[in-house]
């Protein structure tokens, strides 16, 4: 089966500084790929190329090819807003909108033009359940999302993303700022939903990579140093 997303000879310069030195990596549907490596090796930079958060920044230049479903996502014809719907992202710091839990999760659905209250209610509930935060917020759906704990906010952000059913989910150290219980909930959520998505997670934790990923890619100084199936990488001495 063809990978959903392929990236080839990716190079990125911040001004004169070459932050990515020719990355080749493909991603299969229904798999979690962990990107791992020391701070500053280029993990976030690479991840941000995939939803085009980098290329509109002054001084940044990117070369290489990125194909999603066979389409070149850097083609001049590519609509960046449409791409961001296909490729959702979760950041290290939870970033809910400063309005109610309900409105956070309904946001993307309303943007899509869904107005039917019953349909919105159902999708909001289903997404919050998928993100394993429903029980904690169901009596407070009208409360401001920023009033919840960091771990709850992050799961609300995941629900907001799942509500619009992207194809690819990018997570940039999504549990680094969280308590262990929320981190475990998020890992469990990713394992439960991976059958429906293509997931790429940046982590500095080998333990996290070995617990949840199907493939692991190690980066060092802007290069890939090792890639393969996680079960092979972590079992080999
Ligand atoms: P990681 O996610 O692995 O910690 P980053 O992708 O954040 O690494 O950074 C890779 C390299 O690019 C580092 O040397 C970092 O200092 C540099 N870098 C990251 N963002 C910028 C930027 N906006 N402008 C200039 N250099 C940057
Ligand atoms: P095997 O089944 O022999 O373990 P793999 O399926 O693990 O082989 O990987 C075959 C090659 O696919 C790897 O060497 C790696 O370079 C490449 N590869 C492509 N995409 C990825 C990815 N997302 N993560 C890791 N490796 C990848």
């Amino acid at each position: 089966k063809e990978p959903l997303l392929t990236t080839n000879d990716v190079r990125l310069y911040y001004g004169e500084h070459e932050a990515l030195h020719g990355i080749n990596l493909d991603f299969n549907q229904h798999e979690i790929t962990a990107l791992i490596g020391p701070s500053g090796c280029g993990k976030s930079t690479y991840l941000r190329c995939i939803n085009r958060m980098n290329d509109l920044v002054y001084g940044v230049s990117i070369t290489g090819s990125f194909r999603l479903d066979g389409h070149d996502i850097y083609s001049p014809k590519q609509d960046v807003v449409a791409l961001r719907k296909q490729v959702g992202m979760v950041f290290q710091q939870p970033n809910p909108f400063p309005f109610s839990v309900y409105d956070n999760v309904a946001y993307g659905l309303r943007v899509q033009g869904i107005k039917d209250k019953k349909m919105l209610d159902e999708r909001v509930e289903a997404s919050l359940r998928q993100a394993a935060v429903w029980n904690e917020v169901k009596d407070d759906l009208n409360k401001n999302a920023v009033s919840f704990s960091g771990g709850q906010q992050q799961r609300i952000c995941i629900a907001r993303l799942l509500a619009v059913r992207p194809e690819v989910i990018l997570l940039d150290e999504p549990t680094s700022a969280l308590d262990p219980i929320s981190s475990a909930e998020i890992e469990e959520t990713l394992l439960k939903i991976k059958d429906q998505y293509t997931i790429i997670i940046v982590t500095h934790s080998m333990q996290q990579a070995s617990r949840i990923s199907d493939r692991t890619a190690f980066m060092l100084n802007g290069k890939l140093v090792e890639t393969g199936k996680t079960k092979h990488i972590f079992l080999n001495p």
Side-chain angles (χ1 to χ4, degrees):
K1 202 163 177 293
E2 291 285 296
L4 180 82
L5 172 67
T6 64
T7 72
N8 235 295
D9 198 25
V10 174
R11 294 170 193 275
L12 182 144
Y13 295 83
Y14 289 116
E16 300 284 292
H17 173 65
E18 188 174 9
L20 300 175
H21 305 257
I23 307 277
N24 297 300
L25 207 49
D26 299 340
F27 303 92
N28 299 320
Q29 275 178 302
H30 321 308
E31 283 190 351
I32 300 178
T33 300
L35 286 184
I36 198 161
S39 182
C41 72
K43 304 181 296 296
S44 300
T45 295
Y46 174 71
L47 202 67
R48 289 196 304 265
C49 290
I50 299 171
N51 71 345
R52 294 192 51 179
M53 273 184 70
N54 275 333
D55 62 310
L56 306 173
V57 177
Y58 181 74
V60 173
S61 65
I62 302 173
T63 62
S65 98
F66 295 83
R67 303 189 81 85
L68 176 60
D69 262 340
H71 298 285
D72 172 7
I73 65 175
Y74 280 82
S75 149
K77 280 180 282 177
Q78 175 70 54
D79 174 348
V80 177
V81 175
L83 177 70
R84 302 263 170 81
K85 267 188 246 162
Q86 273 178 290
V87 182
M89 187 150 178
V90 175
F91 299 88
Q92 180 171 352
Q93 292 303 329
N95 61 349
F97 303 130
F99 32 75
S100 75
V101 173
Y102 187 96
D103 287 340
N104 264 273
V105 182
Y107 187 87
L109 301 171
R110 287 174 168 148
V111 169
Q112 288 176 8
I114 300 176
K115 294 193 188 89
D116 181 64
K117 173 87 170 91
K118 188 158 166 283
M119 185 179 285
L120 286 173
D121 286 355
E122 278 170 15
R123 293 274 290 269
V124 166
E125 175 172 344
S127 304
L128 288 164
R129 281 188 188 280
Q130 256 192 328
V133 70
W134 172 251
N135 285 335
E136 291 157 68
V137 302
K138 64 172 190 254
D139 298 324
D140 298 303
L141 292 176
N142 291 320
K143 226 170 118 179
N144 196 313
V146 300
S147 66
F148 289 87
S149 75
Q152 290 167 330
Q153 289 185 34
Q154 190 69 304
R155 284 175 282 149
I156 291 165
C157 292
I158 292 174
R160 178 178 66 186
L161 174 152
L162 295 177
V164 296
R165 299 174 181 157
E167 286 181 68
V168 178
I169 299 176
L170 310 176
L171 304 114
D172 194 351
E173 304 223 18
T175 64
S176 302
L178 308 184
D179 61 281
I181 292 172
S182 295
S183 301
E185 296 272 17
I186 287 172
E187 289 185 8
E188 215 174 293
T189 295
L190 296 177
L191 287 170
K192 274 193 210 144
I193 65 172
K194 74 169 188 176
D195 285 350
Q196 302 159 56
Y197 296 97
T198 301
I199 299 179
I200 310 172
I201 179 169
V202 165
T203 176
H204 60 253
S205 162
M206 303 259 195
Q207 286 82 358
Q208 183 167 65
S210 72
R211 278 194 299 267
I212 66 171
S213 71
D214 300 287
R215 288 175 181 275
T216 300
F218 284 95
M219 288 180 68
L220 194 62
N221 297 326
K223 295 190 179 98
L224 275 180
V225 289
E226 193 177 355
T227 62
K229 285 189 179 150
T230 300
K231 63 182 183 211
H232 299 164
I233 287 189
F234 287 98
L235 287 182
N236 289 343

